[in-house]
Amino acid sequence: MTLRIPTLAARPWLRLRRDDPAALARVAERHACRFPVEDVFDRDADFLYLPVDALRRDEPEADGRPLVFALGRDLLITLEPAEGLSPFDRLPAPAEKGAEAHAGPAAVFYDLLLALNADTEHVLALSGGGLESVNDRMRAIARGRDETGRDIDSSLIHEAMAELNVQEERVSRIQRSQLLLDRAARHLRQSLTERDQALRPHVETLISDIASVKERAGFEHAKLRYLQDSVTASLSAKQNEIVKVFTIITAVFLPPTLVATFYGMNFAVMPELAWKHGFSFTIVLTLLAALLPLIYIKKKGWLR
């Protein structure tokens, strides 16, 4: 739940876009705020720069948007993607919070981190729902048959693996986002001044919430790894079944082929050709050469 901190009608918050170099230059000149060339943690005499990957609940498949907070004593500046960030647009207006007291940039920073964490949790919930559908498919793969009783085709296993890879990429982005959010929230706690002491317990709760989402993402990632291993094992088992069938066929037909090879040789003297029952002998020998390996394979239980 968003903390309702009283603020002035104008928040101590300045929003910048990456595609507006003129505004960046004005802010650098007026507020001595110069964002790092790379999105990395940095600090100078006036600002603390904290990069974050912002996930959007309306585009869960997209990569995290690079976002940089510049936290100063009296001003918070956000360097946002060119398309902006919808979580920030949904924040309550300052007038909705009242204007009894001044809330510094720390309070705004808290609200923004809270909004980002809520969106990340929403994306994680979507990922969990996707895993349930893959789970159902994995049960069918483990049985070896679908709802109609037909054998599972290997293409379905490849589709399940592809979907799991997509889910893993999403959960990995969530984990990275939560790590950066956790660092930003901890620096916010260290930056609280005397006027922000009322905010401290709420920041502690925020850090716990971020950690819980991060822990849940870790659980989902472990579950994904397990499902990926299961799909790989199912695919290997399917391939082993196919190889086993061809191996048995080869073992059964190789001895008769060897017999046929002997009698296909152009020797001048082959006594069996003059026998009255030479043809019948060859047929029986060929059948025995095929049946004996098959009996041995069945006795060993390799046909199961």
mmCIF file of all heavy atoms in Angstrom, residues 97-115:
data_model
loop_
_atom_site.group_PDB
_atom_site.id
_atom_site.type_symbol
_atom_site.label_atom_id
_atom_site.label_comp_id
_atom_site.label_asym_id
_atom_site.label_seq_id
_atom_site.Cartn_x
_atom_site.Cartn_y
_atom_site.Cartn_z
ATOM 1 N N LYS A 97 -2.553 14.054 -1.476
ATOM 2 C CA LYS A 97 -1.882 13.701 -0.228
ATOM 3 C C LYS A 97 -1.971 14.814 0.815
ATOM 4 O O LYS A 97 -1.575 14.624 1.946
ATOM 5 C CB LYS A 97 -0.406 13.391 -0.508
ATOM 6 C CG LYS A 97 -0.188 12.155 -1.376
ATOM 7 C CD LYS A 97 1.300 11.898 -1.490
ATOM 8 C CE LYS A 97 1.569 10.617 -2.274
ATOM 9 N NZ LYS A 97 3.000 10.338 -2.359
ATOM 10 N N GLY A 98 -2.455 15.948 0.431
ATOM 11 C CA GLY A 98 -2.498 17.058 1.354
ATOM 12 C C GLY A 98 -1.260 17.908 1.262
ATOM 13 O O GLY A 98 -0.299 17.559 0.596
ATOM 14 N N ALA A 99 -1.261 19.051 1.952
ATOM 15 C CA ALA A 99 -0.115 19.957 1.881
ATOM 16 C C ALA A 99 0.222 20.507 3.255
ATOM 17 O O ALA A 99 0.588 21.651 3.408
ATOM 18 C CB ALA A 99 -0.423 21.098 0.918
ATOM 19 N N GLU A 100 0.067 19.625 4.267
ATOM 20 C CA GLU A 100 0.312 20.107 5.629
ATOM 21 C C GLU A 100 1.790 20.260 5.929
ATOM 22 O O GLU A 100 2.190 21.058 6.749
ATOM 23 C CB GLU A 100 -0.297 19.116 6.641
ATOM 24 C CG GLU A 100 -1.813 19.032 6.586
ATOM 25 C CD GLU A 100 -2.289 18.065 5.513
ATOM 26 O OE1 GLU A 100 -1.423 17.479 4.831
ATOM 27 O OE2 GLU A 100 -3.505 17.915 5.346
ATOM 28 N N ALA A 101 2.615 19.470 5.305
ATOM 29 C CA ALA A 101 4.044 19.517 5.610
ATOM 30 C C ALA A 101 4.829 19.217 4.351
ATOM 31 O O ALA A 101 4.301 18.674 3.391
ATOM 32 C CB ALA A 101 4.386 18.520 6.705
ATOM 33 N N HIS A 102 6.088 19.554 4.386
ATOM 34 C CA HIS A 102 6.947 19.317 3.233
ATOM 35 C C HIS A 102 7.523 17.915 3.297
ATOM 36 O O HIS A 102 7.970 17.475 4.344
ATOM 37 C CB HIS A 102 8.083 20.340 3.213
ATOM 38 C CG HIS A 102 9.049 20.090 2.096
ATOM 39 N ND1 HIS A 102 8.758 20.398 0.796
ATOM 40 C CD2 HIS A 102 10.295 19.550 2.107
ATOM 41 C CE1 HIS A 102 9.800 20.073 0.035
ATOM 42 N NE2 HIS A 102 10.743 19.552 0.805
ATOM 43 N N ALA A 103 7.434 17.197 2.203
ATOM 44 C CA ALA A 103 8.084 15.891 2.099
ATOM 45 C C ALA A 103 9.187 16.028 1.068
ATOM 46 O O ALA A 103 8.943 16.433 -0.061
ATOM 47 C CB ALA A 103 7.081 14.825 1.689
ATOM 48 N N GLY A 104 10.391 15.682 1.459
ATOM 49 C CA GLY A 104 11.528 15.861 0.584
ATOM 50 C C GLY A 104 11.605 14.823 -0.509
ATOM 51 O O GLY A 104 10.703 14.006 -0.699
ATOM 52 N N PRO A 105 12.692 14.820 -1.239
ATOM 53 C CA PRO A 105 12.864 13.875 -2.345
ATOM 54 C C PRO A 105 12.864 12.425 -1.891
ATOM 55 O O PRO A 105 12.528 11.544 -2.668
ATOM 56 C CB PRO A 105 14.213 14.281 -2.945
ATOM 57 C CG PRO A 105 14.915 15.055 -1.881
ATOM 58 C CD PRO A 105 13.848 15.743 -1.092
ATOM 59 N N ALA A 106 13.215 12.172 -0.630
ATOM 60 C CA ALA A 106 13.215 10.793 -0.139
ATOM 61 C C ALA A 106 11.819 10.191 -0.195
ATOM 62 O O ALA A 106 11.640 9.013 -0.525
ATOM 63 C CB ALA A 106 13.765 10.738 1.282
ATOM 64 N N ALA A 107 10.800 11.028 0.138
ATOM 65 C CA ALA A 107 9.421 10.528 0.099
ATOM 66 C C ALA A 107 9.002 10.193 -1.327
ATOM 67 O O ALA A 107 8.334 9.189 -1.583
ATOM 68 C CB ALA A 107 8.480 11.564 0.701
ATOM 69 N N VAL A 108 9.400 11.037 -2.277
ATOM 70 C CA VAL A 108 9.087 10.763 -3.680
ATOM 71 C C VAL A 108 9.816 9.503 -4.144
ATOM 72 O O VAL A 108 9.246 8.652 -4.841
ATOM 73 C CB VAL A 108 9.470 11.968 -4.561
ATOM 74 C CG1 VAL A 108 9.087 11.705 -6.015
ATOM 75 C CG2 VAL A 108 8.796 13.242 -4.061
ATOM 76 N N PHE A 109 11.080 9.416 -3.762
ATOM 77 C CA PHE A 109 11.881 8.244 -4.121
ATOM 78 C C PHE A 109 11.217 6.971 -3.594
ATOM 79 O O PHE A 109 11.146 5.944 -4.284
ATOM 80 C CB PHE A 109 13.284 8.412 -3.533
ATOM 81 C CG PHE A 109 14.308 7.466 -4.101
ATOM 82 C CD1 PHE A 109 14.063 6.744 -5.255
ATOM 83 C CD2 PHE A 109 15.527 7.293 -3.464
ATOM 84 C CE1 PHE A 109 15.016 5.868 -5.778
ATOM 85 C CE2 PHE A 109 16.488 6.416 -3.975
ATOM 86 C CZ PHE A 109 16.212 5.711 -5.132
ATOM 87 N N TYR A 110 10.711 7.039 -2.368
ATOM 88 C CA TYR A 110 10.013 5.893 -1.775
ATOM 89 C C TYR A 110 8.808 5.491 -2.630
ATOM 90 O O TYR A 110 8.610 4.311 -2.947
ATOM 91 C CB TYR A 110 9.569 6.238 -0.355
ATOM 92 C CG TYR A 110 8.589 5.242 0.222
ATOM 93 C CD1 TYR A 110 9.034 4.086 0.846
ATOM 94 C CD2 TYR A 110 7.221 5.463 0.119
ATOM 95 C CE1 TYR A 110 8.139 3.159 1.355
ATOM 96 C CE2 TYR A 110 6.317 4.546 0.629
ATOM 97 C CZ TYR A 110 6.779 3.397 1.236
ATOM 98 O OH TYR A 110 5.884 2.486 1.740
ATOM 99 N N ASP A 111 7.995 6.468 -3.005
ATOM 100 C CA ASP A 111 6.805 6.181 -3.807
ATOM 101 C C ASP A 111 7.168 5.549 -5.145
ATOM 102 O O ASP A 111 6.506 4.620 -5.623
ATOM 103 C CB ASP A 111 6.009 7.468 -4.053
ATOM 104 C CG ASP A 111 5.041 7.772 -2.919
ATOM 105 O OD1 ASP A 111 4.799 6.879 -2.092
ATOM 106 O OD2 ASP A 111 4.532 8.903 -2.858
ATOM 107 N N LEU A 112 8.231 6.050 -5.779
ATOM 108 C CA LEU A 112 8.632 5.526 -7.083
ATOM 109 C C LEU A 112 9.137 4.093 -6.960
ATOM 110 O O LEU A 112 8.808 3.230 -7.789
ATOM 111 C CB LEU A 112 9.723 6.418 -7.691
ATOM 112 C CG LEU A 112 9.322 7.885 -7.941
ATOM 113 C CD1 LEU A 112 10.479 8.635 -8.596
ATOM 114 C CD2 LEU A 112 8.084 7.974 -8.814
ATOM 115 N N LEU A 113 9.952 3.823 -5.940
ATOM 116 C CA LEU A 113 10.429 2.454 -5.737
ATOM 117 C C LEU A 113 9.275 1.506 -5.430
ATOM 118 O O LEU A 113 9.252 0.355 -5.889
ATOM 119 C CB LEU A 113 11.453 2.414 -4.600
ATOM 120 C CG LEU A 113 12.789 3.109 -4.853
ATOM 121 C CD1 LEU A 113 13.692 2.974 -3.623
ATOM 122 C CD2 LEU A 113 13.487 2.535 -6.074
ATOM 123 N N LEU A 114 8.303 2.000 -4.672
ATOM 124 C CA LEU A 114 7.141 1.175 -4.346
ATOM 125 C C LEU A 114 6.361 0.826 -5.611
ATOM 126 O O LEU A 114 5.909 -0.314 -5.792
ATOM 127 C CB LEU A 114 6.245 1.925 -3.362
ATOM 128 C CG LEU A 114 5.204 1.098 -2.605
ATOM 129 C CD1 LEU A 114 5.889 0.090 -1.695
ATOM 130 C CD2 LEU A 114 4.282 2.008 -1.816
ATOM 131 N N ALA A 115 6.201 1.809 -6.508
ATOM 132 C CA ALA A 115 5.484 1.568 -7.761
ATOM 133 C C ALA A 115 6.235 0.573 -8.647
ATOM 134 O O ALA A 115 5.630 -0.315 -9.258
ATOM 135 C CB ALA A 115 5.275 2.892 -8.502
#
